[in-house]
Amino acid sequence: MKRPTILVLGAGYGGLSTVVNLQKLVGTDEADIILVNKNDYHYESTWLHEASAGTLRPDQVRYDVKSVINQSKVTFVKATVDAIDVNTKKVATSAGEYTYDYLVIGLGFEGETFGIPGLDKYALSIANVNAARQIRDHIEYQFANWSTDDVQDDTRLTIVVGGAGFSGIEFLGELGNRIPELCKEYDVPKEKVRVVCVEAAPMVLPGFDPELVEYAVRRLESKGIEFSIGTPVVEATPEGVKIKKGEDEFEFITAGTVVWAAGVRGNRLIESSGIENMRARVKVDKDMRAPGFPDVFIVGDCALMINEEINRPYPPTAQIAMQQAVTVAKNIVALMKGNDTEEFVPALKGTVCSLGEHDAIGDVMGRKLTGTKASIMKKVIDNRALYMIGGVPLVIKKGKFSL
Ligand code: FAD
Ligand code: NAD
């Protein structure tokens, strides 16, 4: 009998974890496992705010896919997926066309701009490792030019961050530490720099524990970061952003850098794949399959699952993506053996939000943490993710150990 082909798209937390779990469960001759990813490296999306601010180098947040896969069981293809058609079971990539017996879509997130004019063109987004490098370089370029301009334009040194969700706040935490270094490096007086976070909702980190939020805001404000709350960004231009302050009241913030961190959607390829979706996310069946397509699994940020206790979707996180991957791998093996699939049940352990290298807030297993304790917990979580994929060697190579 022909061995089944398992085609996994994307080597992010979801796709790569699926492959790592599959290679433990499937014998060498039992299936052809093919992993397709745009780059020959995996990047830690959860560290992108650090690469964006310049507190970590881009090479520190990524590692070779081949270093964690068993190449006697898995064929890695470095290619860009161009189109997915689940009706014909064809996947078009820059390395040719693939078909499959089982497909796993783990192509991750894209920044959501909600159709707000100008954002696609004039704002930068913490979307992947190259986009993170672009943000870092853009900010440095503004500092370097300010220092050499004949007539100094201080708005070059204004950075607007759209969105005070977890990505926005973690990025601000890093900026709070990085700005003093940049000022020193480029001879810029610190008081010339303005960092403004603009949030649409009436609070920072909407829905998170208010006491922890208050701590975070206080710490960030002490580093000079300003907050404009309840004031949605309504337009971006080459000069900056327009924000809505009241019924008919608007303000324009002129800024040399605008970073958009106001939410995510799934990968746009989902929208033309033939699978029903909402903002490129698929409301998956309980066993992580795409409704109506029993041989297609969706993992990570392209999957949408409702938390029935609160009737709202689970937030798209690496934590959930890696847990889903375990179920997806098991369920593919179950289908190969003619067994029943199992339901995915998230085991949420909490959330820790970094505020820079040595500070954080966290709500972990019902315990509130701040400062060094929370920061150590964040590093433990980061190192655990490395361990789950590449074991101790990867933790030694890429882990975070500074306290
Ligand atoms: P991704 O990690 O985005 O991986 C997708 C992969 O697909 C990438 O390798 C990409 O290169 C590849 N790909 C995309 N398009 C193509 C294509 N066309 N062809 C080929 N390959 C392609 N979550 C947490 O749980 N904890 C955190 O602390 C945390 N911090 C975060 C901090 C930041 C700044 C951000 C932005 C997110 C954070 N998240 C965190 C959320 C988390 O990063 C995502 O939920 C997680 O990355 C989703 O995993 P994924 O596998 O679905 O996608
Ligand atoms: P998010 O959706 O969590 O937050 C986006 C924020 O932008 C919200 O506060 C929203 O009110 C605001 N916003 C929306 N439209 C706006 C507008 N027009 N103007 C101003 N503000 C606007 O998105 P995110 O922060 O990018 O996070 C994406 C996912 O990644 C989430 O699931 C999050 O939990 C996860 N994440 C987790 C961590 C962590 O666990 N430490 C860190 C980063 C991201």
Side-chain angles (χ1 to χ4, degrees), residues 12-14 37-38 45-46 79 81 107-108 267 300-301 316-319 378:
Y13 291 103
N37 193 55
K38 198 179 269 184
S45 304
T46 59
V81 178
L107 292 171
N267 190 300
D301 282 10
T317 62
Q319 183 182 172
K378 181 84 171 92

Side-chain angles (χ1 to χ4, degrees), residues 102-388:
Y102 302 104
L103 177 67
V104 181
I105 304 178
L107 292 171
F109 66 91
E110 292 181 9
E112 174 63 277
T113 55
F114 309 103
I116 298 169
L119 278 175
D120 275 340
K121 207 162 168 195
Y122 304 118
L124 303 168
S125 159
I126 310 176
N128 54 50
V129 82
N130 289 325
R133 186 193 290 106
Q134 190 189 17
I135 294 173
R136 181 200 68 179
D137 289 354
H138 182 85
I139 293 172
E140 290 205 20
Y141 169 85
Q142 296 292 13
F143 274 68
N145 275 297
W146 185 90
S147 308
T148 52
D149 280 347
D150 291 335
V151 181
Q152 280 162 335
D153 172 7
D154 293 351
T155 62
R156 267 194 191 284
L157 304 173
T158 297
I159 302 169
V160 168
V161 177
F166 287 102
S167 299
I169 292 298
E170 290 201 325
F171 178 55
L172 290 163
E174 298 303 316
L175 274 186
N177 292 350
R178 180 72 180 137
I179 297 291
E181 291 174 5
L182 286 174
C183 286
K184 214 167 164 197
E185 204 174 325
Y186 292 98
D187 296 321
V188 171
K190 174 104 176 28
E191 61 279 7
K192 297 276 183 193
V193 182
R194 199 176 163 214
V195 181
V196 191
C197 175
V198 181
E199 167 58 47
M203 71 179 284
V204 164
L205 294 173
F208 203 52
D209 182 277
E211 206 181 311
L212 295 175
V213 172
E214 197 195 317
Y215 174 92
V217 171
R218 210 171 350 107
R219 299 292 293 170
L220 294 174
E221 281 180 340
S222 76
K223 293 182 183 178
I225 288 154
E226 299 169 40
F227 286 91
S228 176
I229 303 301
T231 55
V233 171
V234 291
E235 189 184 353
T237 74
E239 284 75 41
V241 294
K242 187 171 163 187
I243 64 173
K244 190 171 189 304
K245 297 196 90 168
E247 194 47 37
D248 287 312
E249 201 191 330
F250 296 90
E251 182 187 318
F252 193 85
I253 308 177
T254 308
T257 306
V258 176
V259 175
W260 190 242
V264 294
R265 67 202 311 280
N267 190 300
R268 69 190 62 194
L269 291 176
I270 296 277
E271 289 170 318
S272 53
S273 66
I275 310 172
E276 200 181 324
N277 64 88
M278 283 176 273
R279 292 164 67 201
R281 300 182 72 200
V282 179
K283 192 166 172 231
V284 287
D285 291 338
K286 288 191 187 308
D287 62 1
M288 300 304 304
R289 284 191 276 183
F293 296 95
D295 41 19
V296 179
F297 290 83
I298 317 285
V299 69
D301 282 10
C302 292
L304 178 77
M305 287 197 93
I306 302 294
N307 179 346
E308 278 158 10
E309 275 173 33
I310 52 171
N311 199 27
R312 284 175 61 104
Y314 285 104
T317 62
Q319 183 182 172
I320 289 192
M322 292 178 77
Q323 292 178 12
Q324 289 172 338
V326 176
T327 304
V328 168
K330 279 190 199 161
N331 283 347
I332 290 174
V333 173
L335 292 176
M336 280 166 53
K337 294 186 172 161
N339 296 336
D340 290 340
T341 57
E342 66 178 46
E343 197 175 304
F344 170 67
V345 183
L348 299 184
K349 299 190 169 65
T351 303
V352 182
C353 176
S354 152
L355 302 172
E357 196 183 354
H358 301 295
D359 203 356
I361 50 171
D363 190 343
V364 182
M365 313 267 207
R367 272 191 67 202
K368 289 185 206 179
L369 302 173
T370 56
T372 315
K373 276 189 192 157
S375 173
I376 291 172
M377 179 58 81
K378 181 84 171 92
K379 287 174 185 134
V380 169
I381 295 167
D382 287 350
N383 290 345
R384 182 172 178 271
L386 294 172
Y387 177 76
M388 303 274 283

Side-chain angles (χ1 to χ4, degrees), residues 9 23 34 50 69 78 90 129 152 215 236 295 333 403:
L9 308 180
Q23 68 191 12
I34 303 171
E50 294 160 88
I69 58 172
K78 180 188 169 202
K90 284 185 179 148
V129 82
Q152 280 162 335
Y215 174 92
D295 41 19
V333 173
L403 296 182

